[in-house]
Amino acid sequence: MKPIRLPEPPNSPIASAGLPDIFADGAYGVIRRAVVIGNGFPASENQSLGLVRALGFSEKQTLYRVTRPRGGVNEWLHWLPVSLHKYIYYIICKIYGYSQFILSGRGKKILSLRAENGSCNDLSSILEADIRQIVNIARSTFEKDGPLLVVASGRDTLSTASAIKRLASENVFVIQIQHPRSYLDRFDMVITPHHDYYPLTPQAQKQVPKFLKRWITPCDPPDSHVVLTLGALHQIDSTALRNSAITWHDEFAPIPKPLLVVNIGGPTGRCRYGVDLAKQLCVSLHKVLASCGNVRISFSRRTPDKISSFIVKELRNHPKVYIWDGQGPNPHMGHLAWADAFVITADSVSMLSEACSTGKPVYVVGAERCKWKFVEFHKSLHDRGLVRPFTGLEDMSESWSYPPLNDTADAAKKVHETLAKHGWKIHP
């Protein structure tokens, strides 16, 4: 079997944009830096950082965050727009005082509002997204440094990114990742998975009562400034995998082959499961252990304790199984570089997208429990030969491959093409 060539980041920006050299030194049309608007969630921010990396701005980017208050009653307010959530939080703090404790949204645990925000996590090291400040930077540096590329991802960043576009439309190019649901013309480009348009399919229309159809978004098919991907954007490319293979060589090189990596996420509203799926997974893993050299298991932040505890109890004593306990450096990049195959729970679009970018066998567990647009996502992966269901009947010594999923590089190419139509280009 011929080896699969992994996707490389886009080549020369000038060549890919198709611009004549006359523009090479023109400051007004050359983008030399990027601003990322994040929301504090790794799965979301990773998409923006991945696109910025593919565009060549790894060393010329500034990360800002739109943050929500966390903990306590804030668990009940996360569905509100960020500005309204913060206002209500401010009123609550005024009434109860910062030194007071407010009952947790779950009614069992008492949490300090202040303790859940600030230096207890990495948010304190990232600048809060200030619309006026970013707009002033874009305007004041335009003549010297050219336009400012702004990349945002996630629902909480919508108002910030759209306001920057509205106030500095001549000085910025704003990309919103993940579907904004409405008013797409607030951004220069929207990058979103194809399955976000599942509500427009005949299957989805049959599932929605008539009186609700007008409220289900998106209402219109994608227009010319919408870029569709199969999965989520990320930072995994051949360069990242080669570097990770070197970094993790001493730990992974001695491990017996084939190495099976199992990534376990957590149930979502569109992909519900519990300990029953953990039992199914453990039974299947026991069946394939004979054909594995080693199995490494890791959990995500979303994995419920009852699921992780069950899997640890069932598999921790097997000599071929290693379960990462969350201590020390995260081996995720080492797993992507050194694994021979993956088993991934169906709930995580991000983990599946990253694994499918390696060209290695990817098995999915729990896809039959998903619904709505997740059904469309898994169907697309299966139809392209990127994944197979994990049954426990597999022989892990037998490999298979496919053209790696190349969404991030493809999206970066679209950015270059769209900028060229504006008379702009990227020169990181």
Side-chain angles (χ1 to χ4, degrees):
M1 181 181 296
K2 293 183 179 180
I4 296 296
R5 183 176 178 82
L6 295 169
E8 296 281 358
N11 294 322
S12 169
I14 294 177
S16 62
L19 294 175
D21 291 339
I22 191 172
F23 291 107
D25 297 321
Y28 300 139
V30 179
I31 299 177
R32 296 183 172 89
R33 64 265 161 83
V35 161
V36 173
I37 309 295
N39 59 3
F41 292 94
S44 180
E45 291 185 357
N46 191 42
Q47 298 201 58
S48 297
L49 295 172
L51 181 62
V52 167
R53 170 190 169 88
L55 292 170
F57 289 116
S58 295
E59 304 299 326
K60 297 180 180 179
Q61 60 172 293
T62 304
L63 173 61
Y64 296 87
R65 278 191 174 133
V66 177
T67 58
R68 287 179 179 268
R70 296 182 180 179
V73 296
N74 291 299
E75 294 183 16
W76 295 98
L77 304 177
H78 66 88
W79 55 272
L80 293 172
V82 176
S83 57
L84 179 58
H85 184 172
K86 287 184 175 180
Y87 179 74
I88 294 175
Y89 170 70
Y90 172 78
I91 297 299
I92 291 175
C93 290
K94 282 292 185 181
I95 294 174
Y96 288 92
Y98 284 109
S99 62
Q100 298 294 318
F101 291 89
I102 294 180
L103 287 176
S104 156
R106 302 192 185 277
K108 295 181 180 179
K109 184 169 56 176
I110 296 180
L111 298 172
S112 166
L113 286 176
R114 173 176 283 183
E116 290 296 313
N117 300 274
S119 59
C120 62
N121 51 42
D122 65 343
L123 298 183
S124 61
S125 62
I126 305 296
L127 294 172
E128 180 72 18
D130 185 307
I131 295 172
R132 293 188 180 277
Q133 180 187 21
I134 296 172
V135 167
N136 287 337
I137 291 174
R139 289 174 174 173
S140 62
T141 61
F142 180 73
E143 292 188 4
K144 177 183 177 182
D145 297 319
L148 181 65
L149 180 69
V150 179
V151 182
S153 180
R155 178 171 63 92
D156 288 350
T157 67
L158 293 174
S159 59
T160 299
S162 60
I164 293 170
K165 173 61 182 175
R166 184 180 70 254
L167 297 173
S169 59
E170 300 298 320
N171 312 109
V172 297
F173 188 87
V174 178
I175 301 172
Q176 184 70 39
I177 302 175
Q178 297 183 333
H179 205 288
R181 317 316 304 170
S182 59
Y183 305 111
L184 274 63
D185 56 355
R186 293 175 289 171
F187 314 98
D188 293 297
M189 177 180 286
V190 172
I191 302 176
T192 191
H194 187 274
H195 60 259
D196 273 349
Y197 283 91
Y198 178 74
L200 299 180
T201 63
Q203 306 95 298
Q205 291 294 308
K206 293 178 181 178
Q207 299 175 48
V208 180
K210 288 185 177 180
F211 71 93
L212 288 178
K213 286 183 179 180
R214 62 175 298 185
W215 305 106
I216 302 297
T217 58
C219 301
D220 301 308
D223 59 23
S224 59
H225 80 303
V226 176
V227 175
L228 297 179
T229 63
L230 195 159
L233 305 188
H234 50 75
Q235 301 188 63
I236 309 304
D237 56 29
S238 58
T239 301
L241 290 174
R242 281 195 295 266
N243 291 339
S244 297
I246 295 171
T247 301
W248 291 91
H249 176 273
D250 291 347
E251 180 168 343
F252 286 94
I255 293 178
K257 295 287 190 174
L259 170 60
L260 176 64
V261 167
V262 182
N263 290 330
I264 301 169
T268 66
R270 302 296 187 189
C271 197
R272 297 184 183 277
Y273 59 85
V275 175
D276 55 337
L277 184 67
K279 293 179 180 179
Q280 174 188 327
L281 174 61
C282 288
V283 170
S284 297
L285 285 175
H286 276 294
K287 292 180 180 179
V288 302
L289 279 170
S291 63
C292 293
N294 194 258
V295 175
R296 292 179 68 99
I297 301 174
S298 62
F299 304 101
S300 77
R301 298 180 182 181
R302 298 186 296 105
T303 309
D305 289 340
K306 60 183 180 181
I307 291 178
S308 58
S309 297
F310 179 86
I311 293 174
V312 169
K313 179 181 178 181
E314 289 293 311
L315 296 169
R316 65 184 171 188
N317 293 324
H318 197 286
K320 285 188 176 183
V321 176
Y322 170 85
I323 302 176
W324 185 53
D325 60 3
Q327 303 299 313
N330 190 330
H332 179 61
M333 288 301 298
H335 286 167
L336 288 172
W338 284 92
D340 294 294
F342 302 91
V343 171
I344 300 176
T345 53
D347 57 274
S348 180
V349 175
S350 297
M351 288 193 298
L352 284 167
S353 299
E354 289 180 344
C356 288
S357 72
T358 67
K360 303 173 184 178
V362 178
Y363 298 94
V364 181
V365 59
E368 70 281 356
R369 300 164 188 254
C370 296
K371 59 183 181 178
W372 197 240
K373 65 181 183 179
F374 271 69
V375 175
E376 184 75 9
F377 171 62
H378 286 289
K379 182 179 183 300
S380 297
L381 292 178
H382 184 270
D383 289 349
R384 284 186 49 174
L386 303 177
V387 303
R388 297 178 183 178
F390 184 54
T391 64
L393 302 177
E394 295 80 9
D395 183 347
M396 289 301 166
S397 63
E398 297 179 358
S399 185
W400 48 277
S401 61
Y402 49 85
L405 189 60
N406 203 13
D407 280 336
T408 308
D410 290 343
K413 182 179 179 181
K414 291 290 186 182
V415 173
H416 284 296
E417 292 173 353
T418 303
L419 286 172
K421 295 176 182 178
H422 282 69
W424 291 356
K425 68 167 187 169
I426 288 177
H427 184 66

